[in-house]
Structures are given as structure tokens and as C-alpha cells.
Amino acid sequence: MGDWLIEHLGDVAALVTVVAFLISFATLSFSAYRYVAGLRQAQEKTRFTTYHRLLRIVSTGHDEQGLLKLVSQIAYIHELTNFRKYDPVTYRVLRHLRQEWIQKEQDKPALAKEIDRALNKIARRRWLARIVTPDEYSDVSAKQGAAADRQPDSRPANG
């Protein structure tokens, strides 16, 4: 065995070097994966917080500085469509708010138009999901959902 080791010392050294490299690479890869996973989790938490803050601002009509101007509320409604992960809930909430605002605030047709634009944008990009999982895109409350679902949607589902 001693003679074999001496004869193949270069091969053994190369094998040890490759194994050490692979172990180092695996450790580095695992550390990088955990770091990126932590960043993604932090980013998702921030995205979740921002989305719910925007929902609160849009639905109440005011933010930390006070009552919103119409253009700010329109901008916030538009921003909600940038959160693609939350499209089903955004669609339901905006339909609910549209019904509520039409009944209460008829003097602000611009809000209803912006909601229609946002709903149309979501409907165009999620047309298949609306067909496959219609419950995810139904209205928030059963009472208003039934009323809204009885009315034909004038916007095309696939744009």
C-alpha cells in the first residue's frame, strides 16, 4: 500500500484538492442561497406591508398627511395594479370600492373611471385565471357580489 501511495501521490493530491474545492463550493452555494432567501423574505414582507398600506389609503381616502386629493387617490389606485401577486384580491376590493363609491360619491366619476382602468388591466393580464378560478375574482361580500355578478361586465375579459 505504501508503494502504491508513493506512486500515485500526485493523483491523491489532485483528488484531495478537487474534494476540498467541491466542499468549499457547496458551502459557498448554501450560504449564498440562504442570503438570497433572506433578502427575498424581507422584500416580500416590505411588499406585503406596502400593498396593505396602499389599500388602506385608497379605501379611506386619506394618508398620514391627511385627506387625499383626487389625483393622489387615482395614482394610488393605479399603483395597486403593480402588485401582480395580489391581483385576485385587488380585483375584488376594487370592484367593492367601485360599488360603494358609486352609491356614496357620485360627484367623483374620475375614481370610478380609474378603478375601471385598473380592473380592465387586471382582467386583461389574468383572463385565464378568471376563467379557471372565478371564485378568486368574485366580489368581496356575498350581497354586493351577487349584485355585481348579475350585471354584465362591459369590459372584455381578454382585452
Side-chain angles (χ1 to χ4, degrees):
M1 166 107 175
D3 292 333
W4 181 87
L5 186 60
I6 291 173
E7 288 177 17
H8 296 92
L9 193 57
D11 295 335
V12 171
L15 180 65
V16 168
T17 303
V18 167
V19 168
F21 173 76
L22 290 176
I23 290 173
S24 298
F25 183 75
T27 304
L28 179 66
S29 298
F30 181 73
S31 297
Y33 171 78
R34 288 187 42 105
Y35 175 74
V36 170
L39 286 179
R40 283 187 182 150
Q41 187 177 14
Q43 184 181 26
E44 186 58 36
K45 184 178 178 181
T46 302
R47 186 178 294 125
F48 177 83
T49 303
T50 303
Y51 176 77
H52 286 280
R53 180 179 169 273
L54 283 175
L55 274 181
R56 184 176 18 81
I57 289 170
V58 166
S59 65
T60 60
H62 63 276
D63 62 1
E64 298 82 21
Q65 284 79 36
L67 193 62
L68 291 177
K69 291 195 174 221
L70 183 63
V71 291
S72 296
Q73 203 162 6
I74 288 171
Y76 281 128
I77 290 169
H78 172 75
E79 281 302 312
L80 285 173
T81 63
N82 292 328
F83 292 87
R84 290 176 177 241
K85 178 180 178 180
Y86 303 113
D87 273 354
V89 73
T90 301
Y91 191 85
R92 292 190 310 264
V93 168
L94 288 178
R95 284 184 65 180
H96 174 77
L97 285 175
R98 186 179 190 286
Q99 290 295 325
E100 185 179 301
W101 288 343
I102 285 175
Q103 292 170 1
K104 291 181 182 177
E105 302 180 34
Q106 290 137 0
D107 60 334
K108 294 183 181 178
L111 284 177
K113 284 182 182 179
E114 188 59 35
I115 287 179
D116 287 341
R117 284 187 197 102
L119 290 172
N120 195 23
K121 182 177 181 180
I122 293 170
R124 277 194 323 262
R125 92 175 154 224
R126 298 291 186 158
W127 66 272
L128 183 59
R130 289 181 61 221
I131 294 170
V132 175
T133 57
D135 290 343
E136 288 187 20
Y137 291 88
S138 62
D139 281 343
V140 174
S141 67
K143 180 177 149 189
Q144 288 187 348
D149 288 338
R150 273 187 254 123
Q151 297 172 353
D153 196 0
S154 62
R155 294 173 308 278
N158 60 1

